[in-house]
Amino acid sequence: MPRALVTGGSRGIGAAFADRLAAKGCDLLLVGRDEQRLSATATAIRRTHGVDADVLVADLARERDLALVEEHAAAGVDILINNAGFAHPAPFLRVPVEDETRMLRVHCEAVLRLTHAALPAMNARGRGGIINVASIWALCPRSTYGASKAWITAFSESLRHGNTVRPGVRVMALCPGYVRTELHQRTGRDVSRVPGFLWTPAADVADIALRDLARNQRLSIPGTPYRILAALGGISPRIPSLILGRLGSRHRRHT
């Protein structure tokens, strides 16, 4: 059976990927910090889909934990979903620099190292897929969150050049917009005024991403409004920044 490694696999988009991959017959290794939720997700997947679902409790911002996940990625996985991530509840200068550095470790260093670990075996087999979860905010970074996600999209694109990825192996960045996960609650953002048509269910995000990976697309943007926004960005990079900037300014932090 093919095997998939999913970081941030206990909730939200990561859990949706785990469910969809299990439905396709993939065994799973779910990585996250919350052992209880990881175990519950794995148990539900085993019961529903009859595949193996193992868990690995790890904080990707910690060197020892990241090195352990690297070992599993290097041992041979058919699909790698780099999904783990978080956002800060305050602007750059109000966030301790240690927390900003931690974000870079999870969003950038972990993605780079796990990809570097998984790719050689994929290239040797001539098959495999990597999805690096970025964000629609990568199109117009207005915070260190968006800036780190922009790095993910650029990094994923860079791997498609210079024979880094062999034929049969696919690497793609995923840029979802608003998805109903716990991210907004954890950062205290009021998203009650975000129009319904801008929300994409996590299950749909996973389905669209896996479909686009099978089509060997370099970038997957779930949701028609966001694909239109990206297309407008091809005309003028300022357009997504203006539109998303106005939308983001309406959602202030809870007090």
Side-chain angles (χ1 to χ4, degrees), residues 8-201:
S10 67
R11 65 189 78 188
I13 295 174
F17 268 118
D19 180 76
R20 291 308 195 247
L21 288 167
K24 295 176 180 293
C26 284
D27 290 334
L28 299 171
L29 176 60
L30 304 181
V31 178
R33 293 183 298 163
D34 189 328
E35 183 175 7
Q36 184 175 358
R37 294 189 66 162
L38 277 175
S39 297
T41 301
T43 298
I45 285 173
R46 285 192 291 264
R47 288 174 179 170
T48 302
H49 301 293
V51 300
D52 289 337
D54 300 321
V55 302
L56 177 58
V57 180
D59 182 346
L60 297 180
R62 296 179 179 176
E63 173 59 32
R64 183 170 62 180
D65 289 6
L66 177 53
L68 179 60
V69 182
E70 272 184 298
E71 291 179 10
H72 285 272
V77 294
D78 298 280
I79 298 176
L80 171 64
I81 310 292
N82 281 312
N83 168 72
F86 62 95
H88 293 310
F92 176 63
L93 291 179
R94 290 171 54 196
V95 175
V97 70
E98 295 82 3
D99 292 346
E100 292 287 9
T101 302
R102 182 171 179 271
M103 175 182 282
L104 289 178
R105 292 210 70 191
V106 174
H107 288 185
C108 302
E109 182 180 348
V111 169
L112 183 149
R113 287 174 58 174
L114 296 184
T115 299
H116 192 276
L119 262 180
M122 291 183 180
N123 281 336
R125 292 193 306 269
R127 67 179 187 279
I130 299 174
I131 297 178
N132 295 324
V133 180
S135 167
I136 195 66
W137 296 99
L139 299 180
C140 57
R142 300 177 66 87
S143 64
T144 48
Y145 174 84
S148 65
K149 295 296 188 176
W151 181 89
I152 290 175
T153 61
F155 170 67
S156 302
E157 175 69 17
S158 74
L159 295 176
R160 298 171 65 97
H161 302 285
N163 294 320
T164 302
V165 177
R166 299 294 175 82
V169 179
R170 295 163 182 179
V171 178
M172 183 185 79
L174 170 63
C175 290
Y178 283 101
V179 183
R180 294 199 185 278
T181 68
E182 296 177 11
L183 175 69
H184 309 293
Q185 297 168 348
R186 293 198 301 269
T187 58
R189 294 287 175 178
D190 181 4
V191 292
S192 60
R193 296 177 63 188
V194 176
F197 70 89
L198 289 178
W199 292 94
T200 309

